[in-house]
Amino acid sequence: MHQEPFSGEFREGMPFLGGSLWIDFVNTTPVIKGTALDLIGDASGLAHWARQANIETALASEPDDPATLHDLRAQLAEAFDRLAASKPLSADLIATINHLIEHSAIRRRLADAGATTTVDEHVELAGPPVASAVAWDFAQFLGNYEHQRLRHCDNPACTMQFYDVGKNNRRRWCTMSLCGNREKVAQYRGRKAAGRAD
Ligand SMILES: [Zn+2]
């Protein structure tokens, strides 16, 4: 898996603002202007999303199964709320994740760097590319997270969720552009209507 560091909230119009690959995967069902979308609902959408997520799918020996991905996403969406509430994960999800990562591994290799010897590590994922990359990321995430940083966007009409990596843990919105500014405009209009515009 080679997910690069965050370079923006959207990549070719698709949200990558979750702070972790598995949350971005859960966020593939955004509601945009009142319409629920499924960004990975067909093969071309899935291939497009995988490309933006830096998941290599072309060389996969075993393709992703749409029904499996659909189930995985639903299970992870539920897991998000359980983790946020400090509740234990379901046995079903644990079994699903273990199954998806069982043949993946971290490979280590010593490299002679002259005066010193360094250790190179890389993750070798096996199995359906999107499902195993997402499952691996989830397992990795569980090793180090703070539950109070898992939040839904404050806009009740928005389905996006995220892991707040900010120092102050005060992020409220999926993005300023989608929801944050909307709220500011609404507040301004409210004040103006009440004769308190400033
Ligand atoms: Zn939002």
Side-chain angles (χ1 to χ4, degrees):
M1 182 179 57
H2 301 286
Q3 196 186 16
E4 284 168 15
F6 267 67
S7 56
E9 295 169 325
F10 289 87
R11 301 180 199 161
E12 299 208 354
M14 292 182 292
F16 282 89
L17 48 84
S20 203
L21 178 68
W22 75 272
I23 302 173
D24 290 329
F25 180 71
V26 172
N27 281 339
T28 54
T29 53
V31 175
I32 305 288
K33 290 180 181 154
T35 308
L37 304 174
D38 187 349
L39 302 178
I40 58 168
D42 58 33
S44 77
L46 176 62
H48 191 56
W49 186 83
R51 248 193 328 275
Q52 301 310 313
N54 295 317
I55 298 169
E56 178 59 65
T57 55
L59 305 170
S61 53
E62 197 183 332
D64 277 291
D65 169 48
T68 304
L69 288 180
H70 200 268
D71 284 353
L72 179 63
R73 185 172 60 187
Q75 282 186 300
L76 288 174
E78 196 203 332
F80 186 98
D81 292 330
R82 285 186 185 231
L83 293 175
S86 280
K87 287 185 186 154
L89 296 173
S90 74
D92 273 0
L93 175 65
I94 290 172
T96 301
I97 298 295
N98 278 340
H99 174 68
L100 285 169
I101 64 175
E102 67 184 334
H103 298 299
S104 297
I106 296 172
R107 304 274 177 210
R108 292 197 179 88
R109 213 185 134 74
L110 297 184
D112 186 359
T116 54
T117 306
T118 58
V119 185
D120 291 340
E121 286 190 347
H122 76 277
V123 178
E124 204 169 281
L125 295 174
V130 172
S132 50
V134 167
W136 184 273
D137 182 72
F138 181 68
Q140 181 97 346
F141 179 89
L142 288 184
N144 182 22
Y145 75 99
E146 296 167 34
H147 74 92
Q148 68 276 16
R149 290 179 173 273
L150 286 159
R151 281 199 300 284
H152 288 260
C153 177
D154 256 8
N155 175 2
C158 177
T159 59
M160 236 81 90
Q161 45 212 54
F162 54 83
Y163 185 71
D164 188 351
V165 294
K167 201 169 91 185
N168 299 323
N169 190 23
R170 286 171 65 187
R171 177 173 167 189
R172 293 177 61 196
W173 315 105
C174 61
T175 59
M176 279 314 285
S177 57
L178 267 188
C179 293
N181 287 337
R182 250 188 54 149
E183 166 82 3
K184 277 191 178 163
V185 170
Q187 280 177 357
Y188 174 77
R189 288 205 182 118
R191 283 197 304 272
K192 205 171 169 182
R196 293 185 283 112
D198 46 40

